[in-house]
Amino acid sequence: MISKSTHIVGGEMYYEHLGNGKYKITLIVYRDCFFGQVGFDAPANLTIYSNGNTFEQVIPIYTIKTAKLPSDIYDSCFSVPSGVCVERGYYETTVNLSQRSKNYTISWQRCCRNNSIKNIPNPGAWGSTITTTIIPRDSVSNNSSPVFVNRPPLAICLGSKFEFDNSATDKDGDSLVYELCEALHGADTVNPRPGQATPPPYRLV
């Protein structure tokens, strides 16, 4: 049933260079545990492309831990409405990307988003692509990605003052620049859990 696939909230992907061309890849997936009737993918299929769209391999990975996020809100005068439940799943794996001159795109795709989303027409038909790109080590030696320090709250109050520390840390001490971007579409109701993610570029939601 299509309705049983509407559970994706969002996700993150990080990479850490371990030396000798080895990278630890971390995928974090957020799912709706109130309306969503589908659990975390077991396995989640990471797809690796090199130099844009040259297929390299698919790596199936499993969650190493899951946790239901506390129903917090950044205002002591309010509480999170009923029916809000988000669960976080952690996946990790180690890959060998030995070709120094290649850039590697690692992607995971899953459909579908919750029908309760108000700012996406027909949200239950839209999936998600979580992706990261590792640039050639000839350009930046032994680079790791930055990692966000905090997770955002589950809810914020309209008209209430809101402050959130969305900073990140970088293992290499790089200077970090932030920008807002649009969400990426991936997978669909016909094939909600593809065995292989499509290559970039990805369609915007």
Side-chain angles (χ1 to χ4, degrees):
M1 291 179 60
I2 292 175
S3 61
K4 291 187 178 181
S5 296
T6 55
H7 65 292
I8 294 298
V9 175
E12 308 165 44
M13 191 181 296
Y14 304 113
Y15 61 89
E16 180 184 356
H17 185 254
L18 303 177
N20 299 319
K22 294 186 183 300
Y23 290 84
K24 181 174 75 173
I25 308 300
T26 301
L27 170 66
I28 303 175
V29 177
Y30 298 91
R31 64 175 292 271
D32 185 335
C33 46
F34 188 85
F35 293 105
Q37 300 180 34
V38 177
F40 292 106
D41 285 358
N45 296 311
L46 294 185
T47 306
I48 301 178
Y49 290 94
S50 63
N51 295 335
N53 57 10
T54 301
F55 172 75
E56 293 282 341
Q57 60 179 312
V58 172
I59 302 177
I61 58 175
Y62 294 83
T63 53
I64 58 173
K65 62 180 177 178
T66 62
K68 187 178 293 186
L69 300 184
S71 297
D72 56 5
I73 198 166
Y74 281 53
D75 193 318
S76 59
C77 297
F78 299 93
S79 60
V80 174
S82 61
V84 176
C85 178
V86 176
E87 190 176 14
R88 177 172 53 192
Y90 282 88
Y91 298 80
E92 280 187 0
T93 190
T94 300
V95 298
N96 187 0
L97 306 175
S98 58
Q99 296 296 319
R100 295 187 60 94
S101 61
K102 291 183 178 181
N103 72 307
Y104 294 94
T105 297
I106 304 174
S107 300
W108 172 79
Q109 294 179 327
R110 190 63 162 93
C111 193
C112 299
R113 299 173 187 267
N114 286 334
N115 286 312
S116 60
I117 298 174
K118 302 300 183 185
N119 61 345
I120 302 176
N122 193 22
W126 290 87
S128 179
T129 294
I130 308 300
T131 186
T132 190
T133 298
I134 301 175
I135 63 176
R137 283 182 288 145
D138 288 343
S139 301
V140 179
S141 177
N142 305 333
N143 191 55
S144 299
S145 66
V147 177
F148 286 111
V149 176
N150 300 310
R151 64 163 182 84
L154 295 190
I156 58 177
C157 298
L158 180 65
S160 177
K161 184 178 179 180
F162 173 69
E163 294 182 3
F164 175 69
D165 180 4
N166 201 38
S167 61
T169 60
D170 187 89
K171 177 182 177 181
D172 312 301
D174 295 332
S175 176
L176 303 181
V177 177
Y178 299 80
E179 66 179 40
L180 297 176
C181 61
E182 296 178 77
L184 302 177
H185 175 59
D188 53 35
T189 55
V190 176
N191 187 17
R193 184 172 169 259
Q196 177 181 329
T198 58
Y202 297 111
R203 182 182 177 188
L204 301 178
V205 172

